[in-house]
Amino acid sequence: MNTSMRTRGQLGARRRVPAVLLALAASATLAAPGAAASDGPSRANSPTSTLRWGACPKADPPYPDPSPRARCATVKVPLDWSKPKGPKIGIFVARYRATDPARRIGVLMSNPGGPGAPGADDALYADDPISGYEPAMLRRFDMVGFDPRGIGRSQGARCDETIRDATPSRPANAAEFARLRALNGRLADSCLRETGPLAAHMDGESVARDMDAIRAALGEHRISFIGHSYGTFLGERYARLFPTRLRALALDSAMDPARPNAERYLTDGSVTTNNTLKRLAAWCERDAACALKGQSVTAVTDELFARADAGTLREPGPNGPTSVPVDADRLSDFLTFALGKGSQEETARQLAALRTGRGEVHWVPGGSSLETQLVLCRDYDFRIRDYAEYRAIRERVAKAAPHVRYNAQALDAVLGCQGWTMPPLPQPTRAKGDLPPVLVANATHDLATPLPGARRMARSYPKATLLTVDVVGHWLYRRGGTQDTMRAIDAYLTSRED
């Protein structure tokens, strides 16, 4: 049975874990997943761990050093889980022990998403007063984070990034689309050449199996898990493979678990972006702080697109329009990132600058990250047959999202997978066993993980609650404007009974 809750709130600063550059220290052991999880209690205060914990490496300046309570280790796992006796790789793991051992619930494992974020930082900086957990959570859980395989301190993948410099970001014809595919294929081959076979095994299923190896090495029968953004996909994969080993599962800003194709993925993101522009328009109608007060914001963007299509839209300057053209793709890219990450007041000001030619616009470089290509192109099937199909998809998406045309972040991901030589993997079979009730939380206007995908995520579980928050933004588990969501997730995680 699925239930829904809805709350209102204002977007606050995104909860961020410091992006540290740490050198991997020696502290390794071999661990592998154990037998099927026991159905016994998960509140053992002194589980038997096979890990050898040591001091965590210090951060490179100017980043802060990890908490002195954090300890680090390495778990050895199979490079290819279909060959468990084959070559091994190391997974960097960090733990912050519960500060009240007598009331310890167990392990809370986490992943901050990306793909490509160094997940060990969640434990290394667990007590950070800004980006860390609440003291009440630190009392009850051992916080465990890890860098996923091929990421950060877990043998970070390497590729020939110079290939990307020549790759068309928005192919405008069949020849450019063919060049995009060819160069993406060369990039994938360079990853295999420079990283080795690990580049072909960075998918979500492999990471979920690594998570269970970490659980076994910790000596835990069950874990609680909180995933953010792409981390929700890892949580779904873990639940699919190891349902009886979960005590609780909280998914914040949820990915679509149903393997959307390129068109659905792009449509969901683009319609959300279009609706976010309409939200800005409604705010401008009632708030004098809007630089476009008294004007129709959607009409303004339609006018800007008409000028971009005609080749007459220019970047604004302090004294009037510059000579630098702005085409429709740059305009869509700007709208995605301004609407998704900027304040309403600032976004309206920049739209006014584009319209009048006077002022300043903050352009954000786009493009898919290497980690997204190495991971997402294996988890999702975004393959498009040819340029004709690509154009047809773009036209249908533009009709569904007429005032923005497309979501640039979604299109970057889709285009990054064209011609990728490591094909998508099949979805793993769901293992038998009962899952705990699941909590899914999502913003109504999340341009990175749109609400339709979160609804599909909630529907994929026998028992799930979907908590929606009426804000524009991504990642709700943070202090500030969405702290009520953080409290709701914490309450779920601490109150779950076995």
Side-chain angles (χ1 to χ4, degrees):
M1 178 179 181
N2 302 97
T3 58
S4 294
M5 296 187 289
R6 185 182 179 91
T7 67
R8 289 182 138 331
Q10 297 297 319
L11 178 62
R14 175 177 173 177
R15 175 183 179 265
R16 296 179 61 194
V17 176
V20 295
L21 304 174
L22 299 177
L24 180 59
S27 172
T29 188
L30 173 65
S38 163
D39 288 332
S42 64
R43 290 187 178 230
N45 287 333
S46 301
T48 302
S49 172
T50 62
L51 287 171
R52 295 193 300 272
W53 297 99
C56 295
K58 293 184 179 298
D60 290 340
Y63 301 106
D65 286 334
S67 168
R69 287 186 61 90
R71 304 293 281 174
C72 292
T74 299
V75 174
K76 293 289 186 177
V77 299
L79 166 68
D80 181 349
W81 275 101
S82 70
K83 301 174 182 177
K85 295 183 179 180
K88 302 296 190 291
I89 59 172
I91 305 298
F92 180 82
V93 181
R95 179 176 68 179
Y96 182 103
R97 295 299 297 266
T99 59
D100 186 353
R103 301 185 65 229
R104 176 185 180 274
I105 294 173
V107 161
L108 177 59
M109 194 180 294
S110 64
N111 182 272
D121 288 2
D122 279 7
L124 292 172
Y125 298 92
D127 56 6
D128 184 271
I130 297 175
S131 64
Y133 294 93
E134 293 287 351
M137 293 292 285
L138 297 176
R139 286 193 288 270
R140 307 300 303 279
F141 289 101
D142 289 354
M143 302 302 179
V144 173
F146 65 99
D147 288 0
R149 52 173 54 215
I151 304 299
R153 295 144 291 200
S154 294
Q155 300 179 216
R158 299 179 306 277
C159 309
D160 182 359
E161 297 194 51
T162 63
I163 295 171
R164 310 185 69 176
D165 297 339
T167 304
S169 61
R170 298 288 183 264
N173 51 53
E176 288 190 358
F177 191 77
R179 181 170 176 77
L180 168 80
R181 292 169 62 108
L183 290 175
N184 278 344
R186 281 178 53 192
L187 180 62
D189 291 344
S190 81
C191 298
L192 287 167
R193 184 174 61 253
E194 297 191 15
T195 302
L198 174 59
H201 295 280
M202 292 173 59
D203 57 281
E205 179 181 348
S206 294
V207 176
R209 294 187 182 279
D210 295 345
M211 289 163 54
D212 202 55
I214 296 169
R215 174 204 60 79
L218 291 168
E220 298 285 339
H221 294 300
R222 289 192 180 97
I223 59 169
S224 300
F225 181 79
I226 179 169
H228 314 275
S229 192
Y230 178 75
T232 65
F233 186 85
L234 297 178
E236 188 275 340
R237 281 293 179 263
Y238 191 84
R240 177 178 287 272
L241 293 167
F242 308 106
T244 62
R245 294 171 186 170
L246 274 170
R247 172 193 166 273
L249 180 61
L251 304 175
D252 166 26
S253 303
M255 297 277 290
D256 189 337
R259 290 175 62 89
N261 61 16
E263 183 164 357
R264 190 175 83 186
Y265 185 80
L266 186 54
T267 299
D268 283 352
S270 303
V271 169
T272 300
T273 308
N274 199 71
N275 290 340
T276 305
L277 181 73
K278 292 179 179 178
R279 182 187 179 101
L280 174 66
W283 173 77
C284 281
E285 288 179 359
R286 63 178 185 270
D287 200 309
C290 177
L292 296 171
K293 180 80 166 105
Q295 303 173 62
S296 168
V297 172
T298 54
V300 168
T301 59
D302 292 347
E303 175 195 325
L304 293 175
F305 274 113
R307 290 166 58 189
D309 290 338
T312 60
L313 185 61
R314 298 288 184 269
E315 285 190 13
N319 302 311
T322 69
S323 60
V324 181
V326 177
D327 63 18
D329 283 321
R330 284 192 75 198
L331 184 56
S332 285
D333 292 357
F334 159 75
L335 285 169
T336 297
F337 293 102
L339 290 166
K341 299 181 183 298
S343 69
Q344 290 179 313
E345 186 172 346
E346 178 64 15
T347 301
R349 186 197 64 75
Q350 293 184 73
L351 282 172
L354 276 169
R355 189 184 193 196
T356 63
R358 188 182 299 273
E360 184 181 12
V361 169
H362 304 301
W363 304 100
V364 178
S368 182
S369 70
L370 282 172
E371 292 83 4
T372 296
Q373 291 172 284
L374 284 163
V375 175
L376 213 57
C377 298
R378 301 285 271 162
D379 290 334
Y380 284 178
D381 190 350
F382 288 154
R383 292 174 294 185
I384 297 173
R385 183 179 61 252
D386 52 26
Y387 181 72
E389 183 182 16
Y390 170 68
R391 286 308 311 171
I393 290 172
R394 284 282 304 272
E395 289 170 4
R396 290 192 291 270
V397 169
K399 287 182 179 178
H403 305 303
V404 298
R405 298 199 178 176
Y406 63 78
N407 177 305
Q409 185 175 355
L411 185 58
D412 285 340
V414 166
L415 289 175
C417 292
Q418 305 313 306
W420 199 250
T421 54
M422 292 173 270
L425 295 169
Q427 186 161 277
T429 302
R430 191 180 297 278
K432 294 181 179 179
D434 293 334
L435 278 168
V438 176
L439 177 61
V440 181
N442 221 84
T444 54
H445 295 76
D446 186 332
L447 277 62
T449 52
L451 186 57
R455 288 180 174 137
R456 295 183 194 108
M457 180 69 86
R459 289 198 298 267
S460 71
Y461 299 105
K463 297 178 182 178
T465 295
L466 174 61
L467 170 61
T468 58
V469 184
D470 189 16
V471 295
V472 178
H474 183 62
W475 192 315
L476 301 176
Y477 190 85
R478 57 170 172 237
R479 294 180 174 87
T482 57
Q483 191 157 348
D484 284 349
T485 307
M486 187 178 185
R487 293 191 187 102
I489 293 174
D490 286 351
Y492 159 79
L493 290 169
T494 53
S495 65
R496 268 286 304 135
E497 296 294 335
D498 289 321

